[in-house]
Amino acid sequence: MIKKINTGVLSYGMSGRVFHTPFLEASELFNLRAIVERNKKNAAADYPNIISYDSVDELLADEEIELVVVNTPNDTHYDFANAALQAGKHILVEKPLVPSSSQAEALFELAKRAGKKIFTFHNRRFDSDFLSLKKVLEGNLVGDPIELHLRFDRYRPEIGPKVFKETNRPASGVLYDLGSHLLDQAISLFGRPKAYYKVRSGHRDHTKVEDYGFILLEFDNQVTVHITTSLLVGDPQASFVLHGKNGSFIKARSDVQEEQLIAGMTPNDPLYGLEDKKNQGKLTVLKDGNQAESSYLEAPKGEYMQLFNAIYESIRLDKPYFVKPEDIITQLQILESV
């Protein structure tokens, strides 16, 4: 018999509304018990059976809640994660986990002492586009990898309304925001880099944070990964470009799950996570006589629910979570470096 995990969510902004509550509600493994809403009670209208708490302290005092989703501004993650662990809760924390590697180490140590678990919300490991890349690498379809380019391009010339993203505070800027996804993907594929080089700059009028970031990662297996994030790309480039000894794989970012969730599609819809065939990645392989043969690969189904399933298995069955503490420490050491 399934013992559902009672879960509380600390915020009902875009993250809570799009990336968390639809899955907690749709899953048979979780019970969406409570959400913090200080002012407007939008979550209570969308989910009439939940408890709408006025404060984080009220939610953390709820003894029925086992798992707390920390999806508040980046610079508040450490304080709320620490408080939730102190209250005896497991925590799922939006990326980046915290602004610094020292804070992450402190939280992991606290969780160990408390017998609780920390899960970082790196849902982009379950995007159809990244799963396509993994399929190529795991199948050795281009031979030994030589270089990989990962991009997150957007065009946002205006200063956004989210103050925590647009003011100079811990964990602000495009590398912490979008770059953390790409770093996690690179680390999940190749482990800890032996060396890295980083560039950050700001180009939008009146910007207080960097809106361009580049990181070069070198790995022991002679793979080089180029990570680029920018808010000023009018013509987005291919987001996944892999070159190996025997060929290449090129694919545009699809982001289909986010688009579907924003449009109101539920994770249980049969069409959820399926890419349009026009977004298929191009595989080019060099055959005998260096003749290039190209084909298009259908992307695997994207499914963020896999992340929530992994959390359930970790809490109930003590299975390892796919994002390891050492992955997070490595990621933050790179992000916080000068």
Side-chain angles (χ1 to χ4, degrees):
M1 181 173 139
I2 293 173
K3 183 183 177 183
K4 292 187 176 184
I5 297 174
N6 284 326
T7 305
V9 181
L10 296 192
S11 173
Y12 198 59
M14 177 182 174
S15 169
R17 180 174 52 83
V18 173
F19 292 117
H20 295 288
T21 55
F23 296 92
L24 295 169
E25 179 71 7
S27 174
E28 62 178 7
L29 306 176
F30 295 85
N31 175 46
L32 177 58
R33 177 173 170 82
I35 299 176
V36 175
E37 294 187 283
R38 294 172 180 81
N39 299 307
K40 296 179 181 179
K41 298 295 183 178
N42 294 324
D46 293 339
Y47 301 102
N49 294 325
I50 67 162
I51 302 170
S52 180
Y53 284 119
D54 295 325
S55 71
V56 170
D57 288 342
E58 286 180 308
L59 185 144
L60 295 183
D62 186 333
E63 295 183 357
E64 296 295 318
I65 291 176
E66 294 181 74
L67 174 68
V68 171
V69 178
V70 181
N71 59 327
T72 53
N74 295 349
D75 59 329
T76 68
H77 285 184
Y78 177 78
D79 287 341
F80 287 140
N82 181 75
L85 289 171
Q86 296 278 9
K89 317 295 186 185
H90 303 291
I91 54 174
L92 169 59
V93 187
E94 271 284 354
K95 57 79 197 168
L97 176 66
V98 283
S100 72
S101 59
S102 61
Q103 289 176 325
E105 289 169 346
L107 287 180
F108 286 127
E109 180 59 32
L110 173 58
K112 184 178 179 180
R113 293 198 309 269
K116 299 302 172 183
K117 301 194 175 188
I118 297 175
F119 307 101
T120 307
F121 190 69
H122 275 303
N123 60 322
R124 297 294 180 179
R125 291 202 195 185
F126 299 100
D127 274 337
S128 53
D129 42 30
F130 179 66
L131 293 175
S132 294
L133 173 67
K134 282 189 68 178
K135 183 177 179 180
V136 171
L137 285 167
E138 291 171 354
N140 198 34
L141 300 186
V142 298
D144 294 339
I146 298 171
E147 66 172 325
L148 172 63
H149 296 255
L150 300 173
R151 298 187 65 99
F152 222 128
D153 292 336
R154 288 179 174 170
Y155 189 69
R156 302 285 191 275
E158 68 285 348
I159 303 300
K162 295 182 179 179
V163 176
F164 74 92
K165 285 190 175 185
E166 296 287 9
T167 54
N168 188 11
R169 59 177 66 190
S172 62
V174 73
L175 278 177
Y176 271 97
D177 184 24
L178 302 178
S180 58
H181 281 310
L182 304 183
L183 270 173
D184 176 70
Q185 290 176 341
I187 292 167
S188 75
L189 293 173
F190 303 117
R192 183 180 178 88
K194 66 179 181 180
Y196 53 87
Y197 172 77
K198 185 167 69 174
V199 174
R200 297 175 297 176
S201 55
H203 302 273
R204 296 170 302 161
D205 293 341
H206 312 298
T207 187
K208 296 179 181 178
V209 299
E210 76 260 14
D211 45 42
Y212 171 84
F214 169 78
I215 303 175
L216 177 69
L217 306 169
E218 296 181 63
F219 294 89
D220 284 331
N221 53 5
Q222 294 188 304
V223 176
T224 300
V225 177
H226 307 249
I227 288 175
T228 306
T229 59
S230 177
L231 298 183
L232 287 174
V233 177
D235 182 13
Q237 304 299 294
S239 297
F240 301 87
V241 178
L242 170 67
H243 300 300
K245 291 178 69 174
N246 301 329
S248 301
F249 177 69
I250 300 174
K251 190 176 188 323
R253 183 173 302 283
S254 62
D255 224 1
V256 62
Q257 291 182 84
E258 181 173 341
E259 294 172 0
Q260 291 172 332
L261 291 164
I262 290 174
M265 183 180 288
T266 68
N268 291 332
D269 191 298
L271 297 178
Y272 177 79
L274 297 177
E275 278 192 15
D276 191 310
K277 291 187 183 299
K278 68 181 181 181
N279 290 327
Q280 290 180 350
K282 182 180 181 180
L283 176 68
T284 301
V285 178
L286 280 299
K287 299 291 188 179
D288 295 338
N290 293 332
Q291 294 297 311
E293 294 185 5
S294 295
S295 60
Y296 290 87
L297 300 184
E298 184 173 351
K301 177 182 173 69
E303 197 162 3
Y304 295 157
M305 189 66 85
Q306 295 284 351
L307 181 147
F308 292 90
N309 293 342
I311 290 173
Y312 182 88
E313 291 182 347
S314 181
I315 292 175
R316 291 286 184 254
L317 305 177
D318 202 29
K319 291 186 177 181
Y321 187 57
F322 60 89
V323 183
K324 302 177 181 65
E326 55 266 32
D327 296 343
I328 296 301
I329 299 301
T330 295
Q331 176 192 125
L332 292 172
Q333 286 174 340
I334 295 170
L335 287 172
E336 70 190 359
S337 64
V338 177

